[in-house]
Amino acid sequence: MGTRFNVLMTIQIPLQQKRMMVGEYEAKIIDDLCEPSGARPNPSKQVLDKFVQQCGSLDPNLCCALLEEKLEDEDWKVVVKALFGIATLVEKGKEGVVEYFGEGNDEFIKEIAVDPESQKSLKLAAEKCLKAIEKAT
C-alpha cells in the first residue's frame, strides 16, 4: 500500500499544479488591462483591441468573473478599465459575455451608474457598459 500511495501522490501533485495554473493567464490579462497606472483612466483603443484579441479563445465565464471582481476594487481607475473591458468584449461579440452580465450580474454596474458619489468618468464608463449590454440583448 505504501508504494501505491507514493505513486498516487506523484500523480496528484502535478495535477494540482496544473489546476493552479488554470486561470492564471486570464488573471494576468485582466490585471494588465486594469492596471491603475497612467495619466488617463480610459484604456486606449490599441489596449482594448489587444485585450479582445487575448481573450479570444479563453473561457468567457472566467474572464467575466475576473472583470466582475475588478468592479469592486477600491481604486476607481481599476473599475473604469474593467468597465471598458466589459463594454469592448460585448461590442466585439465575445461569446458568453452578454449572457454573463445580462443574467443579473450587471447589478454592480447599475449601482455605479446611478451612485451620486461615483466620479463622472466612472459613471460614464458604467453607462457605456450598460448601453452595450442592452444593445446586444
Side-chain angles (χ1 to χ4, degrees):
M1 180 157 170
T3 306
R4 182 172 176 220
F5 178 76
N6 289 340
V7 170
L8 288 174
M9 289 305 295
T10 305
I11 293 170
Q12 286 180 344
I13 290 171
L15 288 176
Q16 288 172 344
Q17 289 172 344
K18 278 186 179 179
R19 281 191 206 115
M20 284 176 41
M21 290 172 31
V22 171
E24 284 182 14
Y25 180 70
E26 290 86 343
K28 181 177 178 354
I29 290 170
I30 304 299
D31 288 344
D32 288 349
L33 172 71
C34 297
E35 179 65 37
S37 64
R40 293 180 32 176
N42 300 2
S44 69
K45 182 183 180 332
Q46 292 83 9
V47 168
L48 290 170
D49 288 344
K50 179 182 176 187
F51 172 70
V52 170
Q53 182 182 20
Q54 289 175 317
C55 289
S57 62
L58 302 178
D59 178 5
N61 286 327
L62 179 55
C63 290
C64 289
L66 291 167
L67 284 165
E68 187 177 25
E69 277 183 20
K70 296 293 183 184
L71 296 177
E72 298 182 43
D73 199 281
E74 291 181 10
D75 189 329
W76 67 272
K77 288 182 180 181
V78 171
V79 178
V80 166
K81 291 178 179 186
L83 289 166
F84 271 91
I86 295 166
T88 303
L89 289 174
V90 169
E91 290 166 355
K92 299 289 184 177
K94 170 72 173 148
E95 186 178 324
V97 179
V98 173
E99 293 79 6
Y100 185 92
F101 287 102
E103 294 175 353
N105 292 326
D106 62 347
E107 290 303 314
F108 199 69
I109 301 171
K110 289 176 181 175
E111 287 177 28
I112 294 168
V114 298
D115 184 357
E117 306 265 323
S118 291
Q119 287 192 292
K120 186 175 181 179
S121 57
L122 193 55
K123 287 178 99 158
L124 291 172
E127 289 169 4
K128 176 183 178 178
C129 190
L130 289 170
K131 284 179 187 173
I133 294 168
E134 185 179 305
K135 183 178 178 183
T137 53

